[in-house]
Amino acid sequence: MDENLYDINDMAKVGCNDCKGCFSCCRGMGYSIVLDPYDIWQLETKLSCSFAELMMEKIELHVMDGLILPNLKMQGTSEVCAFLNEEGRCAIHAFRPGLCRLFPLGRNYEGDKLNYFLLQDACPHSGHTKIKIKKWLGIPDNKRYEEFLISWHALRKKLVEEIAGNINDDNEDLDRLKDINRKLLHTFYEAPYLPEDFYGQFAERMLAFIQE
């Protein structure tokens, strides 16, 4: 990564004039394309499917820092994304997950502030051009989206710290860990979303999660 931090309205060298659709960024990613609740809402709404149906072929669960979270599934010997079609093109490009939209950028969280940084040499092609990050991400209502990301990141950070600091290997603590993950998965992923107003639904779920 470079040392610069970018705001949503800044320009960064993320465009690629030499892009030939190599889908290098869509294979061999392991468990790294972690899906947040907005990603799941998008997939459920646009594909008219449930979380359980996505789990059948397209996504899987993986443990990260003690939390069980869904990620895009890599398939076959080439470990390509399950959403790539036969031509090697993204079948969900218009509503692809946030981390896919972000590439070759990363997110940097500092309190209630979200910035972006450039992953140098992440793309194998040359000739990158400057594009406004807001345009590159192509997310409607960037302000509410960033507010959601900051809130979601804060919750995950809090839960990871709780797991690291308070949960040991005894049965009671392991039951507590299971309860955290069961509640997290059900509240933000398994419970179906309505097509309208993701952010309002997320806020209600966040409040219910914290208050329980």
Side-chain angles (χ1 to χ4, degrees):
M1 58 174 283
D2 66 14
E3 296 180 355
N4 297 316
L5 291 178
Y6 301 92
D7 184 78
I8 190 75
N9 291 307
D10 288 338
M11 306 278 285
K13 284 191 174 183
V14 291
C16 182
N17 290 329
D18 192 33
C19 182
K20 298 180 175 61
C22 70
F23 61 89
S24 292
C25 52
C26 305
R27 60 184 172 189
M29 302 304 292
Y31 307 109
S32 66
I33 311 301
V34 180
L35 303 172
D36 61 40
Y38 183 86
D39 297 328
I40 294 299
W41 172 74
Q42 285 260 82
L43 292 172
E44 289 182 355
T45 302
K46 303 299 185 182
L47 298 175
S48 298
C49 66
S50 66
F51 182 78
E53 289 171 322
L54 289 171
M55 282 288 297
M56 291 179 184
E57 295 182 348
K58 304 300 185 182
I59 68 175
E60 60 188 352
L61 299 179
H62 181 69
V63 180
M64 177 179 290
D65 297 324
L67 296 180
I68 300 175
L69 297 168
N71 60 264
L72 288 183
K73 188 174 184 180
M74 302 292 134
Q75 296 181 327
T77 56
S78 298
E79 293 190 354
V80 298
C81 174
F83 282 108
L84 284 187
N85 60 26
E86 294 180 355
E87 289 75 38
R89 309 303 292 174
C90 178
I92 57 168
H93 191 266
F95 49 95
R96 63 199 183 280
L99 289 182
C100 300
R101 289 179 177 276
L102 196 62
F103 186 87
L105 293 168
R107 297 184 187 127
N108 179 72
Y109 295 91
E110 291 184 10
D112 60 354
K113 179 72 173 176
L114 171 59
N115 294 108
Y116 304 88
F117 57 86
L118 184 63
L119 299 166
Q120 291 184 329
D121 302 322
C123 176
H125 295 291
S126 59
H128 291 86
T129 58
K130 283 190 174 184
I131 297 177
K132 184 174 284 192
I133 291 175
K134 178 190 294 187
K135 182 178 180 180
W136 180 254
L137 295 178
I139 297 286
D141 200 343
N142 279 286
K143 183 175 185 297
R144 295 187 77 188
Y145 181 65
E146 287 196 340
E147 288 173 350
F148 151 70
L149 288 175
I150 292 168
S151 177
W152 179 242
H153 174 78
L155 176 62
R156 283 182 53 183
K157 182 179 179 181
K158 178 181 177 181
L159 294 177
V160 168
E161 289 174 349
E162 178 181 346
I163 289 169
N166 301 313
I167 294 181
N168 301 305
D169 291 332
D170 60 63
N171 291 335
E172 184 175 341
D173 281 348
L174 291 177
D175 287 341
R176 169 64 177 152
L177 177 59
K178 291 177 183 178
D179 287 342
I180 289 174
N181 278 298
R182 189 180 299 114
K183 181 179 170 185
L184 187 73
L185 281 173
H186 177 73
T187 303
F188 296 105
Y189 292 103
E190 294 173 341
Y193 288 92
L194 297 174
E196 303 84 12
D197 188 22
F198 163 79
Y199 299 111
Q201 295 176 77
F202 175 78
E204 291 176 358
R205 295 182 187 211
M206 177 69 82
L207 183 61
F209 185 90
I210 294 173
Q211 289 181 341
E212 283 186 14

